Amino acid sequence: MEAQTKYHSKLFATELMRRCASDSLEKMTGTLADATIDLNPHQIDAALFPFHSPLTKGVILADEVGLGKTIEAGLVISQRWAERKRKILIITPANLRKQWYQELADKFFLDSSILESKTYNQILKKRNINPFSSDKIIICSYHFAKSKAEDIRSIPWDLVVIDEAHRLRNVYKPSNVIGNVLKSTLRSSQKLLLTATPLQNSLLELYGLISILDDQAFGDVKSFRDRYAKVRDKGVFEHLRLRIKPFCHRTLRRQVEPYIKYTKRHPMLQEFTPSETEMRLYDLVSEYLRRENLQALPNSQRTLIILVLRKQLASSSYAIAGALDTMRKRLLAKLNRHEEAQDIIAQELSEDFESYTEESDEWEEDSQDEVLTDSDIIALKKEIDDLKEYRDLAESIKINEKGQALLQVLQRAFEYAEEFGVPQKVIIFTESKRTQNYLVDLLSDSPFSEGIVLFNGSNNDERLKTIYQDWKEKNKGTDRVTGSRTADKRSAIVDYFRDEGKIMIATEAGAEGINLQFCSLVVNYDLPWNPQRVEQRIGRCHRYGQKHDVVVVNFLNTKNAADKRVFELLSEKFKLFEGVFGSSDEVLGSIESGVDFEKRIVDIYQKCRTEEEIEQAFAKLREEMSQEIDDEMTQTSQKLLENFDDEVREKLRVRDKRSNECLTKFEQLLIRFTKIELGDHAQFNSESSFTLLSNPDGKQFDLGLYELPRRSGHAMLYRPSHPMAQYLLKRAKRRELQPASISFHLSEYEGKITSLEPYIGQSGVVRAVLFTIESMNMTEEYIVLDCCTDVGEIIDPEIARRMFDVPATMEQDLTEILFDESCHERLTGRYEAIQKEVEKRNTQFYDTEAMKLDEWAEDMKSELEREIKDIDREIRDVRRATTLSPTLEEKLEGQRKLRALETQRSQKRRSLFDAQDDIDRKRDNFIKEIENKLVQQTSKEVLFSVKWQIH
């Protein structure tokens, strides 16, 4: 016999839909039940972190590459959606928009819309409303968000997710325009930042990311720099760690080995020897780039441009030929005083070397006006002739020896794949679009001409048109077609490569975000000098879901000593190419930054000519890096952002057990509830599946086999957010139930419930109450079963709840059920106990927030006091110098300086007190805002009352 009463149904529906405390696992159980993927405990743990306090303004999820930050964010988004907080914005690099759209649809059944110029204008023209005001989740790129900042600012967002958030790490610098615009625009919104490298450069970058989340986390950048300059001091370090902890959650790959089995990386080195002509070109251009008076390059970002030119030179003769021609054109424009001359190089580089625009934001170099003297004009004309000579030489080289070496690599790769049963798929990375085109031509005339596909920032290659059209036709009428041409093209390319293609040739646009775990062979045709970029490339294939070991191929020029040393650093120091994990982010983050590392490398290329000089320079760099990696890593990144391995593993073990228990209980309850509500409309085959035979209430749900997520995969998915489940839940929860008499048949229960056995043969009353507490901008619901026997014995709510697990029948309707007066008074204390428990937890939230604001006030005051100390120091220096002045005139001048400084100090002191008072006022106002949120509002709703008896 099964529990069949509508009282059971209403109780179950309320349990399935109730709103839980912000920091409880039960809060997210419905979301976990909705997901179609097997979730790992670290993902559940990370997804709960943004909810650890209702007062938080945002957090950083910083799990290592490949651990599924998108999935973690998807859980957070799903939970917000379930809470009907549906103003959600996702800001991501343009190349990841489609991936987000598809992940939300496939794994979480969430509708989203990609907003770009075309769709934005269509909405504006059709409806004349803010296109960001939507009933769907909005996805857009960084640049589009910046350009539409005012539209975004006008929406009260419930959640803003920022992917690859390390792109904003320099937000503390005024020059970071996108970062500062987004920070200002999203100031009042709750934010979720996703990045594997929150501390890639320096502590100031971490400060920058946290300041995006919460302006009151720290004071200004000066006070932060002063306060944590001595971060290696244990006390300073622990203080900073304590302040960062509420904002940043990080798990490492090695910490989740019990749950995720990673395949290995295997390095393959392909050496090649350039031809004499290629070496002549290399030597000529290298010496040219070392010239002190280089007219072809603008003064701004000259070092970055030299780096890119050197990378093009190493990439292919085709890449450098185009660059040399552009430089020549710039000089001709400069000679003729054309204003556009300044921008020609940057435009060309950003077109061919796609990461140039992003990197240019991170290279700070002085910009000076270019003024031509007569001698400059003579040198300029000579330089034009030189560039023409170098360009002609580059264009005369039709066969690149590195390209020939690639053909050998592919032959070995496909033989390896066939021998070990690995899919015959290769991704080739190059840093240059011109080299990409050269490789297409090279492979098209080789045995590897079939199944080639390109991937770059524009994706406008002719061969892609057919792929794109076929993809659109195949997916016509499905949610895979987003309407965003850019995003859909990217999806079409990846799908083609997975299903039909053999070789993908990708620029850096393919190194972020796309998932290629079906491909296990990575070829670095050009090897970036930034270790982080190398790791991102390999991480496209070597990630969760990869079934085979990944082979990583690198090329090495046997005639280039500097290239050899760079490869050795990346291979031996950073350990990028072999092992289970590759380079951990703690190692990548330990260097000052990937960009700074590149600067040091290009400096060696520029200054060192002989092999001995190169060897000495790299030996020095290795020594410096050893200090950074060995000390800086352990002192800063690892200890600051991470918890100890054993601590994390134990936490995840407990989380795994608890989440599985909660999920199992939730899904069992969902099936039991559905069985009651559907009745004869369905046939239940097991504890996880049923066949819908007919529709309830004349609805139009699809008939057929339904099953819970993550089962066989051969049926329609039945989950809490399914339209039928939502209809049944709302119907049951709204149902008005009159008092009744119910018999619980414990003797017919298949298991054993020891706690109910003492009540066999007894009777009493039970009242189900939904007790709601509103505080901290959050609503919590508690189901309380007020239960007592006819002789006045109070029954524990958990025991009362077990009654509804046993078979039951409704005996008769009753007009009224009365509680014994003494029972009623004793039951009231339960509600007070719940309130006190909530108040106790909220007090902890308050204390954490108050402590944060105290620290913020201290930061701001310390900066004001530092300014006075600086003046004091200057006064002492001037006084000392005045005393030692040999002449009266110098002594008088010193006295004038002293008076001016003392006047300035007096003014600063007066303003200091005013400023400190102002800071205290602001702090007090913030505290009052929090205190207002702490006020509790409570309500009770009686779900039903029944007279019970147990047999």
Side-chain angles (χ1 to χ4, degrees), residues 16 60 92 128 137 221 235 341 415 451 637 639 653 668 694 715 759 781 871 893 918 924:
L16 289 165
I60 302 169
T92 180
N128 194 30
I137 297 165
V221 67
E415 289 174 358
S637 177
K639 291 183 179 179
R653 186 189 67 78
Q668 288 175 348
S694 60
Y759 301 100
E781 294 174 332
I871 297 174
E893 178 60 28
D918 185 51
D924 291 343

Side-chain angles (χ1 to χ4, degrees), residues 41 259 648-658:
Y259 310 98
V648 173
R649 289 185 181 120
E650 176 59 22
K651 182 181 179 184
L652 294 182
R653 186 189 67 78
V654 173
R655 180 73 75 202
D656 190 39
K657 184 172 182 285
R658 281 278 292 124

Side-chain angles (χ1 to χ4, degrees), residues 585-813:
D585 287 334
E586 61 195 25
V587 173
L588 292 178
S590 68
I591 55 174
E592 288 187 10
S593 75
V595 169
D596 287 340
F597 182 69
E598 288 178 312
K599 288 180 181 178
R600 294 157 87 173
I601 296 293
V602 76
D603 189 58
I604 294 174
Y605 274 84
Q606 285 294 97
K607 293 179 179 177
C608 301
R609 287 176 168 81
T610 68
E611 190 162 343
E612 183 181 0
E613 289 174 336
I614 292 169
E615 178 63 39
Q616 290 175 353
F618 273 99
K620 182 181 178 183
L621 178 56
R622 286 175 68 94
E623 184 180 348
E624 292 173 5
M625 286 184 57
S626 293
Q627 184 70 20
E628 289 176 350
I629 290 177
D630 294 341
D631 294 340
E632 195 68 23
M633 173 189 72
T634 54
Q635 292 298 317
T636 307
S637 177
Q638 187 181 37
K639 291 183 179 179
L640 196 60
L641 300 177
E642 300 155 14
N643 294 309
F644 296 112
D645 288 359
D646 290 344
E647 175 187 329
V648 173
R649 289 185 181 120
E650 176 59 22
K651 182 181 179 184
L652 294 182
R653 186 189 67 78
V654 173
R655 180 73 75 202
D656 190 39
K657 184 172 182 285
R658 281 278 292 124
S659 61
N660 285 332
E661 288 174 353
C662 288
L663 188 56
T664 300
K665 182 179 177 182
F666 186 92
E667 290 182 333
Q668 288 175 348
L669 190 62
L670 178 63
I671 289 294
R672 288 181 64 196
F673 162 79
T674 306
K675 192 171 187 178
I676 299 171
E677 286 295 314
L678 286 180
D680 294 337
H681 291 289
Q683 176 183 328
F684 283 75
N685 314 309
S686 69
E687 293 182 353
S688 61
S689 69
F690 62 90
T691 302
L692 186 66
L693 305 172
S694 60
N695 269 296
D697 302 336
K699 296 294 180 180
Q700 297 297 314
F701 304 121
D702 292 332
L703 303 181
L705 181 63
Y706 286 81
E707 67 178 8
L708 296 174
R710 301 172 301 281
R711 268 46 177 198
S712 72
H714 304 301
M716 290 177 279
L717 292 180
Y718 187 67
R719 57 195 195 280
S721 66
H722 187 282
M724 180 165 60
Q726 285 291 299
Y727 170 72
L728 297 176
L729 286 165
K730 290 174 182 176
R731 185 180 73 174
K733 196 175 179 188
R734 287 196 302 262
R735 188 177 288 132
E736 293 289 338
L737 297 176
Q738 298 301 315
S741 175
I742 293 180
S743 291
F744 294 98
H745 306 284
L746 184 60
S747 59
E748 298 177 17
Y749 182 67
E750 293 181 0
K752 184 177 178 66
I753 305 178
T754 307
S755 60
L756 287 180
E757 291 177 355
Y759 301 100
I760 294 175
Q762 295 194 45
S763 60
V765 294
V766 61
R767 177 175 58 205
V769 178
L770 183 65
F771 182 48
T772 303
I773 301 178
E774 294 184 34
S775 63
M776 312 280 275
N777 294 334
M778 178 180 65
T779 301
E780 300 176 45
E781 294 174 332
Y782 297 85
I783 299 173
V784 182
L785 294 178
D786 292 337
C787 185
C788 64
T789 66
D790 286 338
V791 295
E793 179 187 351
I794 300 292
I795 296 179
D796 185 273
E798 292 186 11
I799 297 176
R801 173 61 181 81
R802 293 308 307 270
M803 290 184 189
F804 290 86
D805 289 335
V806 303
T809 53
M810 196 177 90
E811 302 296 335
Q812 59 180 320
D813 290 331

